[in-house]
Amino acid sequence: MAASTIFTMLYVGAIDGNDTFIGPVHVYRMTTEQSVLSDDLNRKQYGIQALSKGFQPEGKRWYADNTREPIRDETLREGLIPVGAVITRAGLPTTSSRPRYTLQNDFANLFNPTIAEEELESEIKSWQSTNLSASARARLSLASRTGNVTDGRVLVTFPNGEARNLSAGPSSEISKAVVEVFSKKFLKEPAVLWLSTSDAKVTFVDDAIAKTIGLEIEADKNLPDLILADLGTPDPLLVFVEVVASDGPISERRKEALYELSDKAGFKRQNIAFVTAYRDRQVQPFRKTVPELAWGSFAWFMSEPDNLIFLSDSERKLSEF
């Protein structure tokens, strides 16, 4: 059943980064006759049509309808997902019938038929060491934690005790982790000055604190997803955070645009920090955007909350750090 599930994901192109997902229905409706139709059109059509009520491709089904639960529970939720072989679509309510499962990129690459046997053996061992160790399992568990989701929305509690509901989705889940985990771990006295989401440019703004420290916040295309402040330092530290679920890190261009905002408010540049927040460093968004990250900025992952990556722009030697 696991092999059938993995085959079906490869068949329809449900691989992280393709924005294609399957549900159990894709697996139990598959037939041998359908599986050998390997051209792109047939594979794409099956991915769409398998969701239609009453659809059945030519041939005998691999599984009956009543195998939905074992495919979903034993094979996916309790088998392939905990070891990182399969990733779920973030932000989808548990009650949703939309397809939600896709293969992790590195795991899917293990099925590339052009890889020679010795190279494949090496790739398999590398994937196992990355995903099957105790620390890797802990990282995957943290990465899959979605927080409080109510009616398809993500509840975020701010440092001042105020709570807001954000629209469901991966960006909101990362924003929640930045507010509730990152800010408390890395700032002495954190405050959230600004939070925006894709469906609402202004979700939260604390004008009182912003004006107290001399920052005028206006909805602007150059504003980041979050602006945090550390009020526990002699000179307030301003932290600009970009949340990356697919694209849009703190690049050199974004860094300079945000410096314009802080310069205007009279902040010294040594009191400004830039952070790009991701769900996990093993997934496509980080790999895709890491070449764009600005020197002198940080990267943080909700799956590894105790750690930060700093892209040093200093000329100091390693021994001097």
Side-chain angles (χ1 to χ4, degrees):
M1 188 171 281
S4 299
T5 301
I6 293 165
F7 171 86
T8 305
M9 287 179 163
L10 292 168
Y11 184 83
V12 303
I15 299 171
D16 187 31
N18 288 352
D19 198 31
T20 301
F21 303 85
I22 73 157
V25 65
H26 289 89
V27 182
Y28 66 70
R29 283 184 171 171
M30 179 61 75
T31 66
T32 300
E33 288 80 357
Q34 177 69 43
S35 71
V36 298
L37 301 175
S38 58
D39 60 280
D40 290 346
L41 179 60
N42 271 292
R43 292 164 58 196
K44 183 177 181 180
Q45 285 181 338
Y46 178 77
I48 297 170
Q49 293 174 343
L51 296 169
S52 303
K53 187 176 181 179
F55 169 76
Q56 181 54 51
E58 181 183 348
K60 183 181 178 181
R61 283 187 181 191
W62 283 358
Y63 301 99
D65 285 1
N66 60 10
T67 55
R68 175 191 300 270
E69 284 72 23
I71 293 170
R72 181 193 63 201
D73 298 333
E74 288 92 335
T75 304
L76 287 162
R77 293 181 181 176
E78 298 171 15
L80 296 170
I81 291 173
V83 298
V86 168
I87 298 170
T88 59
R89 188 201 297 247
L92 202 61
T94 56
T95 54
S96 174
S97 60
R98 293 174 63 192
R100 66 178 71 228
Y101 306 106
T102 191
L103 288 174
Q104 183 219 42
N105 218 292
D106 285 348
F107 184 74
N109 287 338
L110 300 179
F111 297 89
N112 184 342
T114 65
I115 299 179
E117 187 174 343
E118 288 185 5
E119 183 185 355
L120 177 60
E121 190 77 22
S122 174
E123 291 290 332
I124 290 172
K125 288 180 179 178
S126 175
W127 187 88
Q128 288 173 328
S129 65
T130 301
N131 291 271
L132 302 185
S133 67
S135 59
R137 296 286 290 274
R139 176 180 57 75
L140 289 166
S141 177
L142 284 166
S144 64
R145 187 176 298 169
T146 58
N148 297 324
V149 181
T150 306
D151 296 329
R153 298 181 70 80
V154 179
L155 182 66
V156 180
T157 302
F158 295 92
N160 63 3
E162 185 175 346
R164 291 286 181 93
N165 273 316
L166 309 182
S167 58
S171 294
S172 294
E173 290 161 13
I174 300 171
S175 294
K176 173 183 173 68
V178 170
V179 172
E180 298 182 353
V181 180
F182 171 87
S183 69
K184 295 177 181 178
K185 187 169 292 291
F186 294 101
L187 306 181
K188 293 180 180 178
E189 189 180 332
V192 178
L193 307 185
W194 165 272
L195 169 62
S196 67
T197 59
S198 56
D199 65 335
K201 187 59 182 173
V202 182
T203 297
F204 175 85
V205 57
D206 194 326
D207 275 325
I209 293 180
K211 289 178 179 177
T212 298
I213 64 176
L215 184 68
E216 292 185 11
I217 297 178
E218 298 178 2
D220 181 270
K221 64 181 179 180
N222 284 328
L223 285 176
D225 296 310
L226 291 109
I227 302 176
L228 308 177
D230 190 347
L231 306 179
T233 57
D235 293 317
L237 174 70
L238 207 59
V239 184
F240 294 114
V241 183
E242 287 287 10
V243 167
V244 175
S246 58
D247 213 337
I250 295 283
S251 62
E252 289 294 343
R253 184 190 65 80
R254 292 288 292 123
K255 180 180 168 183
E256 289 305 314
L258 294 171
Y259 265 144
E260 288 183 18
L261 177 68
S262 60
D263 288 347
K264 184 179 178 182
F267 278 82
K268 297 177 181 178
R269 291 199 172 188
Q270 62 261 36
N271 295 328
I272 306 297
F274 302 94
V275 178
T276 304
Y278 299 90
R279 182 173 67 86
D280 184 58
R281 61 189 169 106
Q282 295 289 339
V283 295
Q284 188 68 15
F286 176 63
R287 297 176 181 177
K288 176 184 176 183
T289 61
V290 66
E292 303 174 43
L293 292 176
W295 293 110
S297 70
F298 296 87
W300 180 79
F301 309 94
M302 62 180 286
S303 63
E304 299 174 275
D306 296 333
N307 304 310
L308 276 174
I309 290 178
F310 178 56
L311 285 82
S312 175
D313 54 357
S314 171
E315 295 181 355
R316 288 184 295 174
K317 293 181 173 59
L318 280 174
S319 59
E320 298 176 313
F321 279 91

